[in-house]
Amino acid sequence: MDLSRRSLLQAAGAAAGLVGLAPGLANAGTVLPADAPTPPRGPGEGQGPFRKLVIRGVNLIVGADGEVRGPVDVVVRGNRIDQIIPAGQPSRALPADRPPHDAEHEIDATGMWMMPGLVDEHSHTGTGGTPRTYAYKLWLGHGVTTVRGVSLAKNPDAVSDKERSERNEIVAPRIVNYQTPGSGWEEGPIDSPDKARRWVAWAARNGVDGIKFFGEGPYGRPEIEAAIRAAQQSGLGTTMHHSPPIYPQLNALETAQLGLGTITHFYGHFEALLKEGREHPKPPDYDYSNEASRWRAVAEVIDYTFPPGSPQWRSYLSRQLDNGVTFGPTFGVYLAGRDLLRARGLEWHPRFVLPSLWNFWEPSPEAHGSFYYDWNSEDEASWKRFYVQYLQLVHDYKEMGGRIAGGTDPGYIYNLYGFANINELEMLREAGLTALEAIEAMSSATARTIAEPTGRAPEYGAVKEGFIADLAITAHNPLEDLKTLYGTGTPRLDAETGDIVRTGGVQWTIRNGVVYDAKRLLADVAEMVQAQKSQGACGDVDPDWSMSGPCGGSPGVGVAPPAKPAQRAAPLP
């Protein structure tokens, strides 16, 4: 198979035609295109759903209204939470023989923590030739049970996986299928309001749940306005990445006034806060088609905007609150802008990143998001200043009562599926949300955002009786340390031995009533990485330049360390 860097970058930002390994077939060296059908759920991949599942003695993060309870016994019938029963006093031993006694399956989670499965408002698959099942297992391995694809894959593939996931036929989270205007149909680009309305009608008939707008042609304000109104009438949601070419026509305030549901990323916010004009000045050598030039200029916008706390700043947020728009900040995907070495050196890269994906990420003027080939300390200082104001914007909107939804935009810029969700929780914490608020942003808040266009209340995103059993169970309290949710865990000192040990990670993810061993899912991913390496995927990677990745010198977190000697050498006299 051709895993050369040239082949991986021929279609920048697209995954069609690239190759990755299929789970379960990795040992046979079988490869599949990234857009091949997702393999069926195999023997041993999850248990259930059950007639009655009882989860015993768990502490409960409800995921809504700031509620934390426990210990409780959670009873699940099929794919629904049937009862949440107090199990005893937190400081006392729990009664051993407490009802119910007729469970088909039990999980002893005494002293552990349960929270709702995470809900991601901004997801993709396929970058760098990765099969969808690779992303699905990384998501489920981190307790992510719903993803809003914007888009996740081509419409027929997204619709198929969405339906198969609901029937528990594949190992995958719930899929909410958003598509870009014009995608999937055969009537050409959306270049008129009439075509925008007709495409929305087509989308509603063909399994599309919502629309992801960009700010790059052929459609502009008239088409976006027509599509938003048609989507509202059809029960479809809307979200927008305000690409800079749209700024002469629309900023984030104006699209929200048109009825947009979610503003994703930072684009458009600061353009609505400019002291003058619709765009901030660019240097003479600025070239929008050059991504390094584009991203370098992005962070400079704050030099031309009204500052945090100003009347204009407060007015902007107040007007957005009146519009009822959701902010989806996706903080984590742009962290390489402020600290490239940290983003490239994250400890899970060696074990869990497919070499083909790493190749796609590495600096290149050809691959979307790989803009840091000439990135320098001045660029990072500029982005650090920008992040301060962006974090403040999100914090202030939350304080006003605005809704913040958790999203990751994974697959780009060293932002790995699943791991990115925990990183985003940490970034929301950095923005001033509490750990509990961060979890709620990436559970019930996102679930409400997804459900609102349909006119129905969400059925997931919180641990409540009657809700779908989409749950994550971990041994550690994430409200004390969100890092314990990473699949690689986090280091802790063993006071008895003096050793540093790894602890944490999600233990069980329950999706639609099916119980998955989250650590086994991550082990499957690690096997996929090793299998792709064995196929020669590292042959085009410079190990000196890419030593942080799967083809470099580190074996990665989770690889067993060398055995320690039975006895330490005596100290020298």
Side-chain angles (χ1 to χ4, degrees), residues 344-367:
R344 294 186 75 246
L346 291 167
E347 61 186 5
W348 45 84
H349 289 336
R351 190 177 184 213
F352 293 107
V353 177
L354 282 170
S356 57
L357 180 57
W358 185 265
N359 241 347
F360 179 82
W361 283 348
E362 285 292 61
S364 168
E366 300 174 63

Side-chain angles (χ1 to χ4, degrees), residues 115-118 136-145 348 352 416-422 425 472 485-489 505-506 508-509 518-519 521-522:
M115 63 183 192
L118 298 177
Y136 294 165
K137 288 193 173 185
L138 281 168
W139 276 322
L140 289 172
H142 284 87
V144 181
T145 54
W348 45 84
F352 293 107
L416 185 61
Y417 311 99
F419 289 94
N421 294 88
I422 312 310
L425 292 176
L485 294 172
Y486 283 115
T488 47
V506 175
W508 293 287
T509 298
K519 296 181 184 297
L521 293 173
L522 295 182

Side-chain angles (χ1 to χ4, degrees), residues 57-60 69-73 85-92 94 111:
V58 73
N59 298 299
L60 182 59
R69 301 170 56 186
V72 296
D73 293 335
I85 308 168
Q89 297 298 318
S91 58
R92 300 178 183 176
L94 302 182

Side-chain angles (χ1 to χ4, degrees), residues 429-454:
R429 183 74 185 89
E430 185 176 335
L433 281 70
T434 66
L436 184 56
E437 288 172 333
I439 290 172
E440 291 183 354
M442 199 176 279
S443 55
S444 61
T446 305
R448 290 199 306 273
T449 297
I450 292 170
E452 273 180 351
T454 69

Side-chain angles (χ1 to χ4, degrees), residues 501-569:
V501 297
R502 284 266 160 192
T503 186
V506 175
Q507 184 64 54
W508 293 287
T509 298
I510 302 174
R511 157 67 188 125
N512 205 31
V514 176
V515 180
Y516 291 100
D517 181 334
K519 296 181 184 297
R520 179 61 254 177
L521 293 173
L522 295 182
D524 289 348
V525 172
E527 291 171 8
M528 294 171 68
V529 172
Q530 290 301 316
Q532 197 182 74
K533 288 172 68 173
S534 73
Q535 294 291 305
C538 293
D540 196 46
V541 175
D542 181 340
D544 289 331
W545 172 242
S546 292
M547 62 187 305
S548 298
C551 300
S554 169
V557 171
V559 176
K564 292 184 178 181
Q567 182 176 346
R568 297 182 186 273

